[in-house]
Amino acid sequence: AQSVAQPEDQVNVAEGNPLTVKCTYSVSGNPYLFWYVQYPNRGLQFLLKYITGDNLVKGSYGFEAEFNKSQTSFHLKKPSALVSDSALYFCAVRDDNYGQNFVFGPGTRLSVLP
Amino acid sequence: DTAVSQTPKYLVTQMGNDKSIKCEQNLGHDTMYWYKQDSKKFLKIMFSYNNKELIINETVPNRFSPKSPDKAHLNLHINSLELGDSAVYFCASSQDSNGNQPQHFGDGTRLSIL
């Protein structure tokens, strides 16, 4: 079965600096990878996805992620962090050997300091 | 207009009671989901319906019963509520059933069992 790990519970970064939120996954088939963001008392919002194609995926609000098959990673990045980016970030994976079932990572709390 | 709406937003009730949470989406999507997010923010899929038919049924107690009267609605009924049911329950929808499209989430129903 598929699994996903987000090795950092918390990431702190200064405003204007680049940010990275890490995600690694384990699947038996081909991975379908997603990033979502959750603001307080809200539902998750979609940021970007990787299905096939270019390994560098661009998404909403200036975020991007790079699919690395050899390292089984899909790290989320942004060149210049904003205070408003502070939120909880979830990586999710679907293994095409296991139908439509998604597994979400435990989440990483990003704090951007002014 | 709210794309995925859940009611109620907050639900406080006694152990042993039966309660329902309603979900409606106005996006014209074919697939709807229920997720449970615990106090540590772990997110786990419970059910998925496609065009009113159940397609994902994770290991969830029989006390939880989803009902989809039409493809725009997916309600969750919970019998004999237990303390461990306290969580935030999220409804979501997506355009397809094969997991390639992003999910749109409601803002959650915060269930507290006394």
Side-chain angles (χ1 to χ4, degrees), chain A residues 2-6 22-25 27 31-36 44 46 48-51 74 89-95 101-107, chain B residues 35 43 99 103 105:
Chain A
Q2 66 270 41
S3 66
V4 58
Q6 293 179 242
K22 295 179 181 177
C23 171
T24 59
Y25 65 89
V27 296
Y32 293 67
L33 294 152
F34 297 77
W35 274 104
Y36 288 84
L44 278 67
F46 169 74
L48 50 80
K49 67 177 181 179
Y50 172 83
I51 306 294
F74 189 57
Y89 289 81
F90 290 95
C91 182
V93 67
R94 184 177 79 81
D95 184 340
N101 199 352
F102 283 89
V103 172
F104 282 79
Chain B
Y35 287 88
L43 195 67
Q103 295 177 38
F105 285 76

Side-chain angles (χ1 to χ4, degrees), chain B residues 36-44 84 86-90:
Chain B
K36 179 180 180 181
Q37 186 174 45
D38 65 21
S39 58
K40 294 185 178 179
K41 304 297 184 184
F42 289 117
L43 195 67
K44 187 168 168 53
S86 295
V88 182
Y89 291 84
F90 286 100

